[in-house]
């Protein structure tokens, strides 16, 4: 994959966009996340962290109050309870982001709510190593306690990167869910109907089709049809595609995605 900054006036709508070229040589546009959306995601995550930390502290106090009557037993249990509570609070504060981004493919609960996702610079999914690396730098980005270093870094970066993103080689983009009007938003129908083309679709090809389908409503109609035709042309080298499907590549892509999910 290759990653280039797209600044075409016709493709800008209030935020700069990153153009990522897939292995099938089809460019997909990802709007870069700005300071506002990232701050909102951080605020939601911080609220969750605070709630989890308070719950751990309350549970530790309850556990201490229920310790045995013997002084040695009570002191030993109290020490272990407080130690485990401290470890839990530490993990809640410092492992929260890395764990969620590694498990949820670049998203935390806050990022998922705001429709943001962390990707590598080449458009690939985030690995556990990159998730840990970018969040270790969060300690520096958060200085002096209000994320001033991170905010300044984002403003100075042409790809809206904080220091953690530079360290791990990542970017934060908008990752909008499927349009409610799309046929893919409905999971019903005959789950056993899979055409010959649908049977030939590979997991890698499906990822490209799904990425296009999730973002096509952000594109102008002509650009959308061009991308769809390019994708179908690339697929024709490895599967049988009829003339009727070539005439409406957008509908063909939606059908392929639905059939792959049925599989």
């Amino acid at each position: 994959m290759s990653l280039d900054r797209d600044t075409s006036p016709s493709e800008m709508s209030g935020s700069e966009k990153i153009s990522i070229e897939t292995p099938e040589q089809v460019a997909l546009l990802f709007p870069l996340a700005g300071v506002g959306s990232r701050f909102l995601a951080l605020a939601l995550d911080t609220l969750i962290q605070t709630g989890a930390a308070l719950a751990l502290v309350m549970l530790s106090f309850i556990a201490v109050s229920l310790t045995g009557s013997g002084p040695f037993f009570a002191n030993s249990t109290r020490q272990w309870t407080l130690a485990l509570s401290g470890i839990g609070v530490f993990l809640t504060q410092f492992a929260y982001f890395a764990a969620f981004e590694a498990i949820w493919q670049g998203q935390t609960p806050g990022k998922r709510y705001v429709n943001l996702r962390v990707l590598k610079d080449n458009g690939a999914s985030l690995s556990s190593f990159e998730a840990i690396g970018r969040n270790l730098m969060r300690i520096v980005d958060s200085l002096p306690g209000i994320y001033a270093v991170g905010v300044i870094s984002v403003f100075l970066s042409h790809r809206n990167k904080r220091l953690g993103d530079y360290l791990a080689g990542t970017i934060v983009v908008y990752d909008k869910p499927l349009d409610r009007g799309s046929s893919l938003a409905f999971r019903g129908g005959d789950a056993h109907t899979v055409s010959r083309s649908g049977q030939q679709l590979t997991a890698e090809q499906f990822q490209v089709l799904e990425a296009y389908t999730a973002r096509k409503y952000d594109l102008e109609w002509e650009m959308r049809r061009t991308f769809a035709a390019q994708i179908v042309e690339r697929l024709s080298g490895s599967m049988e595609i009829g003339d009727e499907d070539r005439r409406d590549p957008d509908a063909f892509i939606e059908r392929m995605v639905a059939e792959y999910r049925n599989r």
Side-chain angles (χ1 to χ4, degrees):
M1 291 185 176
S2 64
L3 182 67
D4 298 302
R5 184 166 177 251
D6 192 310
T7 55
S8 172
S10 63
E11 297 171 3
M12 301 287 287
S13 57
S15 64
E16 295 181 347
K17 300 182 180 181
I18 287 292
S19 176
I20 295 178
E21 187 174 297
T22 70
E24 285 73 20
Q25 298 180 1
V26 176
L28 299 177
L29 296 179
F30 294 82
L32 284 169
V35 173
S37 56
R38 293 178 69 163
F39 182 81
L40 176 58
L42 175 63
L44 294 173
D45 285 324
T46 301
L47 184 62
I48 295 173
Q49 287 179 294
T50 303
L54 289 176
L56 286 173
V57 172
M58 291 179 62
L59 288 175
S60 67
F61 277 117
I62 294 174
V64 168
S65 65
L66 297 178
T67 54
S69 57
F72 176 79
F73 177 80
N75 289 335
S76 177
T77 303
R78 184 178 297 109
Q79 291 173 0
W80 276 104
T81 301
L82 293 177
L84 291 175
S85 176
I87 293 173
V89 172
F90 175 83
L91 292 176
T92 299
Q93 297 301 312
F94 292 96
Y96 172 92
F97 291 96
F100 271 112
E101 288 179 0
I103 296 172
W104 280 5
Q105 297 182 337
Q107 288 188 312
T108 61
K111 287 186 178 70
R112 178 168 291 191
Y113 182 82
V114 186
N115 297 325
L116 301 183
R117 185 181 299 277
V118 182
L119 297 175
K120 294 173 65 173
D121 282 338
N122 62 359
S125 298
L126 196 68
S127 69
S128 298
F129 181 79
E130 281 100 20
I132 294 172
R134 74 185 302 273
N135 286 293
L136 283 176
M137 284 298 293
R138 192 175 291 276
I139 300 174
V140 179
D141 280 317
S142 63
L143 294 176
I146 55 174
Y147 275 86
V149 173
V151 170
I152 293 173
S153 177
V154 170
F155 276 121
L156 295 178
S157 170
H158 70 284
R159 289 181 178 171
N160 296 353
K161 290 185 173 221
R162 63 176 179 84
L163 297 184
D165 291 315
Y166 281 112
L167 176 67
T170 57
I171 55 174
V172 181
V173 299
Y174 287 100
D175 186 32
K176 296 183 179 179
L178 291 177
D179 190 283
R180 293 296 181 184
S182 170
S183 61
L184 294 179
F186 177 64
R187 297 293 187 268
D190 185 0
H192 301 287
T193 303
V194 180
S195 66
R196 180 176 179 81
S197 297
Q199 294 172 354
Q200 296 171 333
L201 194 67
T202 67
E204 292 75 14
Q205 291 170 336
F206 167 73
Q207 291 178 359
V208 174
L209 301 188
E210 188 178 43
Y212 160 78
T213 305
R215 296 172 180 84
K216 67 179 184 178
Y217 294 101
D218 296 327
L219 305 176
E220 296 178 358
W221 170 248
E222 289 301 326
M223 184 184 301
R224 171 175 155 184
R225 185 170 180 82
T226 299
F227 283 161
Q230 290 177 353
I231 293 174
V232 171
E233 183 62 29
R234 295 289 176 181
L235 292 177
S236 63
S238 59
M239 67 173 58
E240 299 176 6
I241 302 178
D243 293 336
E244 184 177 349
D245 290 327
R246 291 176 184 271
R247 283 192 291 270
D248 192 352
D250 189 76
F252 173 74
I253 290 174
E254 283 211 4
R255 180 163 59 84
M256 287 299 97
V257 173
E259 289 185 4
Y260 187 89
R261 287 174 174 162
N262 288 342
R263 285 167 50 188

